[in-house]
Amino acid sequence: MNRREFSLAFLGGLGALTLRPLQDQPKLRVNGARIIQHLNALGEFGKNPQGGVSRVAYSEADRQGRAYIMGLMRAAKLNVSIDLAGNIIGRRSGSVPTLPPLLFGSHIDTVPEGGNYDGVVGSLGAIEVAQTLAEHNFTTRHPLELIIFQNEEGGLIGSRALDGELTDQELDLVSRSGKTIREGISFIGGDPTRLAEVKRKRGDIAAYLELHIEQGGTLDSEKVNIGIVEGIVGINWWDVTVEGFANHAGTTPMNQRQDALLAAAKFIEAVNRTVTSVAGRQVGTVGRIQALPGAPNVIPGKVVLSLELRDLDAAKIKMFYEKIHAEAQQIARASNTKFEFKEINVNVPAPTDSRIRKIIEDSANELGLTTRIMPSGAGHDAQDMALLGPVGMIFVPSVAGISHSPREFSHPADIANGANVLLHTLLKLDQLELK
Ligand code: HGY
Ligand code: MN
Ligand code: MN
């Protein structure tokens, strides 16, 4: 083989690298000011008096925010559609159409009284990456799919529809908007009767990348630019119902009560005690409680509360659940009440791909940014995408580690850094075919 033949064979082996020389890629940069302008504009949809955003999935604010986002995606020259599960997808052709698509994105729904950064930074960062590629006329080898998952905060609903984990019973659960998930999917343009058609299988995606705010304080306190996520915690939710007996609060002696709220209070303490009884990063929370009938002069006869457990190890979640369940039975016996647990949602823990972690690190270092490897205590759609292909997540600092709060904030420079790392990680991944 002469030298020319060798270099042609070499180029052929690398696919369509010839479209744009590799050495040009480090020069591509996102427009950080444009991300912030879009962030402020999106923050108007669902803006609340606390200074944050309440844009729960399937609300009118969610629908309006999604319309705004789709406009940005079209301006970034993406071919935009809503899939049957209600996820927004923006497609861009690649030069090797037989390759599976590279996916990247996040979510724009928020918790009630949330902030304007969780999900939004990753969504707008992804759109800015697409816009930058369009402005530079840059064609990747893989087709690209920018995806804005629907109802991330209500249990990763859009991503779990994609990997087939969303169950039919869950569709009847009432979401924070007041609509059932089934109604919500129709409301945002999906079709809950055809969810089987959105299901993808392992290998259907080349990889999934997500940029997100850290939502904890490690990067901020250690002054590190970029977090490289090693794994995402599993999150399990239960509804717990405590049955007592509603009776007159003035005439029922203290030793004859079946007070469901008192039993629930002991249960909340038991959750905290059990989860903190051994060292580790596991967390357990009772975040919602309702006492019925709910009057000062009636002993509560029924309480419904939520239980959430998180850890990187599903076996540890199961072990803590079993301990908590046993504690609940003891409380029930002592207080003459009854506890019932109903599993609501299971998000499996997921490690990220070690090869993608290395590419994120290289991309950040080439941009002059410092990095740190870290777990994610928050859930993300990436954990469900991990069932379909290799995933990577890039974190940027959250000031004071505050999230799910109107006081959530990340500095514009950090957001621009994260979007640049996303861009260069995507371009490097595009050169590979990970299995
Ligand atoms: O709740 C979570 O961990 C995420 O923010 N959805
Ligand atoms: Mn969140
Ligand atoms: Mn999020």
Side-chain angles (χ1 to χ4, degrees):
M1 191 189 286
N2 65 28
R3 205 174 144 172
R4 186 176 147 71
E5 276 165 350
F6 172 78
S7 53
L8 282 177
F10 179 71
L11 278 176
L14 284 181
L17 276 185
T18 44
L19 277 173
R20 173 93 30 167
L22 256 181
Q23 62 270 21
D24 279 4
Q25 290 182 10
K27 296 199 188 107
L28 285 187
R29 292 289 185 277
V30 302
N31 179 339
R34 185 164 51 195
I35 303 178
I36 301 305
Q37 188 196 329
H38 293 161
L39 184 125
N40 291 334
L42 181 59
E44 291 297 316
F45 302 103
K47 189 176 190 158
N48 63 32
Q50 294 84 356
V53 179
S54 293
R55 194 168 53 237
V56 298
Y58 320 138
S59 62
E60 192 47 44
D62 183 37
R63 186 152 69 176
Q64 288 171 7
R66 286 163 56 91
Y68 172 72
I69 280 283
M70 285 190 273
L72 295 183
M73 288 167 74
R74 286 190 196 99
K77 304 254 174 6
L78 294 165
N79 185 1
V80 180
S81 58
I82 297 175
D83 75 9
L84 290 163
N87 299 308
I88 301 170
I89 302 192
R91 292 191 166 82
R92 197 166 192 276
S93 308
S95 62
V96 189
T98 50
L99 290 176
L102 265 174
L103 266 61
F104 62 121
S106 195
H107 65 99
I108 64 152
D109 64 304
T110 74
V111 291
E113 297 181 22
N116 195 25
Y117 295 79
D118 176 359
V120 168
V121 163
S123 299
L124 295 176
I127 293 172
E128 179 57 33
V129 164
Q131 178 83 49
T132 305
L133 294 178
E135 284 171 359
H136 289 81
N137 241 341
F138 194 107
T139 304
T140 51
R141 298 169 63 234
H142 292 78
L144 298 182
E145 280 189 28
L146 194 165
I147 182 154
I148 307 297
F149 289 106
Q150 62 99 341
N151 199 358
E152 191 272 354
E153 297 291 2
L156 311 179
I157 303 300
S159 51
R160 290 196 306 118
L162 231 62
D163 64 18
E165 291 281 304
L166 185 63
T167 63
D168 203 50
Q169 295 100 291
E170 279 179 82
L171 297 180
D172 291 321
L173 294 175
V174 178
S175 71
R176 288 170 180 132
S177 65
K179 299 179 184 69
T180 62
I181 292 173
R182 195 185 297 280
E183 290 162 349
I185 290 175
S186 301
F187 178 76
I188 57 173
D191 182 345
T193 65
R194 295 177 58 195
L195 291 183
E197 293 172 48
V198 283
K199 195 169 170 293
R200 301 197 201 185
K201 55 183 192 315
R202 191 157 193 97
D204 282 354
I205 70 170
Y208 173 73
L209 282 180
E210 183 166 349
L211 166 67
H212 206 281
I213 58 168
E214 180 196 339
Q215 306 183 276
T218 306
L219 297 175
D220 188 39
S221 63
E222 295 183 1
K223 306 261 170 294
V224 174
N225 301 122
I226 296 290
I228 304 168
V229 176
E230 60 178 314
I232 307 161
V233 291
I235 308 177
N236 293 34
W237 286 349
W238 292 265
D239 268 352
V240 183
T241 304
V242 190
E243 288 282 357
F245 188 81
N247 208 339
H248 199 292
T251 60
T252 314
M254 294 305 280
N255 63 355
Q256 287 175 28
R257 297 178 176 217
Q258 290 172 264
D259 185 335
L261 187 53
L262 183 62
K266 291 181 178 168
F267 176 78
I268 295 168
E269 189 279 329
V271 169
N272 189 274
R273 181 164 32 77
T274 308
V275 171
T276 55
S277 63
V278 293
R281 296 186 67 115
Q282 67 279 352
V283 287
T285 306
V286 174
R288 176 173 46 76
I289 186 162
Q290 189 190 17
L292 297 166
N297 53 355
V298 184
I299 298 161
K302 180 175 172 175
V303 167
V304 184
L305 52 82
S306 62
L307 168 65
E308 183 196 84
L309 295 175
R310 300 187 183 212
D311 196 75
L312 275 178
D313 178 357
K316 254 171 103 185
I317 294 179
K318 184 164 177 283
M319 182 270 286
F320 283 112
Y321 172 70
E322 281 164 4
K323 283 190 171 184
I324 289 167
H325 193 273
E327 287 263 356
Q329 301 320 316
Q330 272 184 27
I331 296 167
R333 275 193 295 278
S335 58
N336 205 8
T337 59
K338 218 173 104 198
F339 277 70
E340 241 179 55
F341 291 75
K342 186 172 161 208
E343 190 174 81
I344 294 295
N345 192 299
V346 179
N347 299 312
V348 287
T352 55
D353 187 275
S354 59
R355 298 161 298 181
I356 301 184
R357 293 202 290 265
K358 176 77 173 79
I359 296 173
I360 295 172
E361 185 183 8
D362 291 345
S363 303
N365 292 162
E366 282 164 24
L367 289 158
L369 304 170
T370 53
T371 62
R372 183 196 204 286
I373 183 111
M374 60 197 308
S376 171
H380 299 287
D381 294 302
Q383 69 204 86
D384 273 276
M385 291 302 95
L387 298 178
L388 302 180
V391 302
M393 279 200 80
I394 301 157
F395 275 176
V396 293
S398 291
V399 171
I402 297 171
S403 185
H404 283 185
S405 156
R407 287 178 53 211
E408 188 175 82
F409 181 71
S410 290
H411 290 292
D414 289 328
I415 294 173
N417 286 341
N420 276 320
V421 174
L422 176 67
L423 169 65
H424 289 281
T425 304
L426 190 76
L427 294 180
K428 284 191 207 302
L429 262 182
D430 183 45
Q431 309 298 330
L432 307 172
E433 281 158 45
L434 299 183
K435 285 282 171 286

